[in-house]
Amino acid sequence: MPGATSEHATEQTEGPPVQFSRRAVLWAAGGGLASAVVGAVVAEVASRLTSSDQAVRDDRAVEAAKQSAAQQKPPLSVNAYYYDRSDDSGVCLFPVPLTGEQRHRLLDLPRTPSTVTDLAATGDGVDTVWPGDPRHPYRLFTRVRLSVVGQWTGPVFVTQIRARVQRRSAPLSGAYVLEGGQGGGEPLKIGFDLDEPDSIARVVTRKLELGAAYVDGHSLTLSPGEPLTVDVQAQTDRSYCEWVIELDVDLGGERRVLTVDDDGRPFRSSSLARQYQERYHAKLTGGWGADGPGPFEFRI
């Protein structure tokens, strides 16, 4: 009967209680314990990562990384370039006479502020400054500006500045181009005498003479990120010179010598020669005049 069939089915599905083996119980307990241990470790790590002690350790690690990176760089970043003032009397010297193209550019084309600079670049010219000192008739100046930034981990002490001559020969005597100026500006504070065997930086007096060593009375110290501009002038009375600047620095007990040049090339200076094959000067009325061969002569 339908009712008996249903009751029989129910009796068939009911059975004894489920039995768990000892191994299954142990596995279950072990899994719970492992989960608890992992949770505790994760919580501890998270706590340490967010604690003040960990923050201090992170800051120290960052600072150590910065110091390591800084020590891979030179202690000073130096950008050096020729520097002439608007009131200077500029003289551009050449080792040989001007070519026909250079002569045409100078005499036949309109005069522009970059005329002499362009000629110097194409004709291996040397830009100099004529100080107009009758006591030193052959002396010329080369002015260089140093833009310096400290990039060490601590203060950098500049203990000496010098010019080291790499090559010396007779003054350039092929041609000169003179662009007279008003003159009379304040002298620079630091000067090199390239004719000295050891050309250390010296104080420039108001009479344009070189005095005591500059670092004897002046302290040059740069902190990290601190900028400094140093203008120097080199002089020679009897030579053509190729030279570089050397900075002796003290890094808290460690001493180094930094070499500064003109973007991979030496700086170049020359005195006036006794005689030139060609002479040119800027005229007040505009343009340029040619004066033929002869000694240097200041003309405007």
Side-chain angles (χ1 to χ4, degrees), residues 40-55:
V41 170
V42 171
E44 177 64 18
V45 170
S47 175
R48 291 189 178 185
L49 290 176
T50 57
S51 68
S52 59
D53 290 344
Q54 182 62 36

Side-chain angles (χ1 to χ4, degrees), residues 82 91-99 102 105 115-128 167 169 171-177 240-242 262 265-270:
Y82 292 105
V91 184
C92 189
L93 305 173
F94 297 88
V96 297
L98 300 186
T99 65
Q102 292 168 336
R105 186 183 307 172
T115 299
V116 177
T117 302
D118 293 342
L119 282 179
T122 59
D124 202 25
V126 176
D127 284 322
T128 63
R167 178 190 171 197
S169 64
L172 303 183
S173 60
Y176 75 72
V177 178
Y240 163 79
C241 301
E242 296 180 357
D262 178 27
R265 302 177 298 272
F267 297 107
R268 304 166 67 216
S269 301
S270 180

